[in-house]
């Protein structure tokens, strides 16, 4: 294996594990666990590639330390989930980046996920409809087998034509992917909540609509939402063994 490629793997592993430790220290345990697992795998790949025996010993020690911590977190998280006491909070600062739906929801998506409930009063205007479309696309790409998505939102009181047409088109498009979209409207809905049938509940203060408008069509962040600036908001994550339906 080329030395520069090996160096790149080492750099990637250090970066991911540094992020894991930061999340761990911030009590964002589920996210840190995902990063630990990714970083450990990268270190294992590096270990397989290095020839120097002293370096092999060094990496084995590092891997064992990170694996021990990951196992401790896994036990802690499972116990909190079992007791119904899991609560994690993420504060998204004004103008922060790195909070695409992929990054935000990935730690809570598993192979067991088949059904999702989205309760958000503001899936009405064109950019909000695109947000919901991106959320659905994220689920389709993720390591799960989602078969049903429920959306409870409010109807655009001024002109619901665009909203109705867009959601009908999305429903048809999802059906072609083997996913059914159940639409319901409420004139009294206020809370914003996303529930997965694997037990995770994500409450975002601004719902899915926390991205800022890009400065221009050719500005960084227009296409890649990891680079899109965000409005300030808070994300609360809970876990329950009983997922209610809307």
């Amino acid at each position: 294996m080329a030395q520069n490629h090996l160096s790149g793997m080492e750099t990637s592993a250090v970066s991911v594990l540094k992020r894991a430790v930061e999340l761990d220290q911030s009590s964002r345990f589920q996210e840190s666990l995902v990063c630990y697992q990714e970083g450990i795998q990268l270190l294992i790949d590096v270990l397989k590639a290095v020839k120097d025996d002293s370096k092999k010993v060094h990496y084995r020690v590092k891997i064992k330390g990170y694996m021990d911590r990951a196992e401790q977190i896994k036990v802690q998280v499972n116990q909190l989930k079992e007791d119904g006491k899991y609560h994690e909070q993420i504060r998204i600062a004004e103008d922060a980046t790195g909070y695409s739906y992929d990054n935000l929801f990935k730690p809570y998506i598993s192979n067991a996920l088949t059904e999702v409930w989205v309760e958000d009063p503001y899936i009405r205007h064109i950019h909000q409809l695109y947000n919901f479309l991106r959320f659905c696309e994220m689920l389709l790409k993720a390591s799960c087998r989602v078969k049903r998505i429920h959306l409870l939102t409010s109807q655009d009181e001024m002109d619901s034509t665009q909203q109705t047409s867009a959601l009908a088109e999305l429903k048809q498009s999802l059906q072609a992917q083997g996913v059914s979209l159940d639409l319901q409207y409420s004139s009294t809905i206020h809370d914003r909540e996303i529930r997965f049938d694997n037990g995770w509940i994500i409450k975002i203060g601004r719902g899915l609509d926390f991205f800022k408008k890009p400065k221009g069509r050719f500005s960084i962040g227009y296409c890649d939402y990891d680079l899109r600036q965000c409005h300030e908001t808070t994300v609360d994550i809970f876990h329950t063994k009983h997922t209610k339906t809307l």
Side-chain angles (χ1 to χ4, degrees):
M1 181 178 291
Q3 185 60 38
N4 60 344
H5 183 55
L6 179 58
S7 178
M9 289 172 60
E10 288 177 300
T11 301
S12 296
V14 169
S15 177
V16 173
L17 289 166
K18 181 181 178 182
R19 180 61 175 158
V21 172
E22 290 172 350
L23 291 166
D24 189 352
Q25 293 173 342
S26 300
S27 299
R28 291 164 63 175
F29 298 122
Q30 186 67 21
E31 290 176 279
S32 71
L33 184 58
V34 171
C35 288
Y36 275 127
Q37 290 169 339
E38 291 180 358
I40 288 167
Q41 185 56 56
L42 286 169
L43 276 187
I44 290 173
D45 292 340
V46 172
L47 176 64
K48 292 176 180 177
V50 296
K51 305 299 183 183
D52 187 280
D53 287 339
S54 63
K55 284 189 175 182
K56 284 180 178 290
V57 172
H58 169 76
Y59 285 123
R60 287 194 183 101
V61 171
K62 286 288 186 182
I63 289 169
K64 183 180 185 306
Y66 288 125
M67 288 181 72
D68 287 346
R69 179 54 188 155
E71 187 59 34
Q72 289 172 0
I73 292 174
K74 189 183 295 185
V75 170
Q76 182 178 354
V77 168
N78 286 340
Q79 187 59 55
L80 288 169
K81 287 162 62 175
E82 184 67 26
D83 296 341
K85 295 178 179 179
Y86 189 94
H87 176 222
E88 181 179 330
Q89 187 173 84
I90 301 170
R91 294 184 181 276
I92 300 177
E94 186 75 7
D95 293 329
T97 58
Y99 291 97
S100 67
Y101 295 151
D102 287 311
N103 277 348
L104 187 60
F105 292 103
K106 180 181 177 181
Y108 313 103
I109 292 176
S110 64
N111 291 331
L113 179 61
T114 61
E115 196 165 4
V116 176
W117 291 263
V118 178
E119 190 172 328
D120 191 325
Y122 299 107
I123 309 293
R124 301 188 300 196
H125 303 308
I126 189 67
H127 74 281
Q128 295 165 344
L129 290 161
Y130 276 125
N131 284 339
F132 183 63
L133 170 59
R134 289 186 191 93
F135 177 78
C136 292
E137 289 175 336
M138 179 274 299
L139 290 173
L140 288 175
K141 291 192 301 177
S143 58
C144 59
R145 300 183 298 275
V146 169
K147 294 299 180 185
R148 193 173 186 87
I149 301 171
H150 305 264
L151 173 63
L152 176 64
T153 189
S154 60
Q155 203 151 29
D156 191 334
E157 296 175 356
M158 300 297 291
D159 182 8
S160 62
T161 304
Q162 178 178 257
Q163 179 191 29
T164 303
S165 174
L167 290 174
E169 183 177 342
L170 176 55
K171 182 173 184 175
Q172 185 175 10
S173 182
L174 283 168
Q175 191 66 50
Q177 298 288 332
V179 180
S180 62
L181 175 61
D182 173 46
L183 296 170
Q184 294 184 48
Y185 296 99
S186 170
S187 60
T188 57
I189 180 177
H190 175 73
D191 292 341
R192 298 158 178 85
E193 182 175 284
I194 294 171
R195 295 194 298 281
F196 295 159
D197 70 348
N198 60 6
W200 290 109
I201 301 173
I202 298 98
K203 296 185 177 184
I204 308 173
R206 297 182 63 96
L208 292 174
D209 191 11
F210 58 85
F211 295 113
K212 285 193 168 185
K213 183 179 179 181
K215 295 176 181 177
R217 288 185 296 169
F218 293 94
S219 297
I220 296 299
Y222 185 87
C223 297
D224 189 338
Y225 274 65
D226 275 327
L227 301 174
R228 177 72 69 89
Q229 290 182 313
C230 300
H231 291 286
E232 180 179 353
T233 193
T234 300
V235 184
D236 286 287
I237 300 104
F238 305 89
H239 190 275
T240 177
K241 290 185 287 185
H242 306 286
T243 305
K244 65 178 183 178
T245 58
L246 294 175

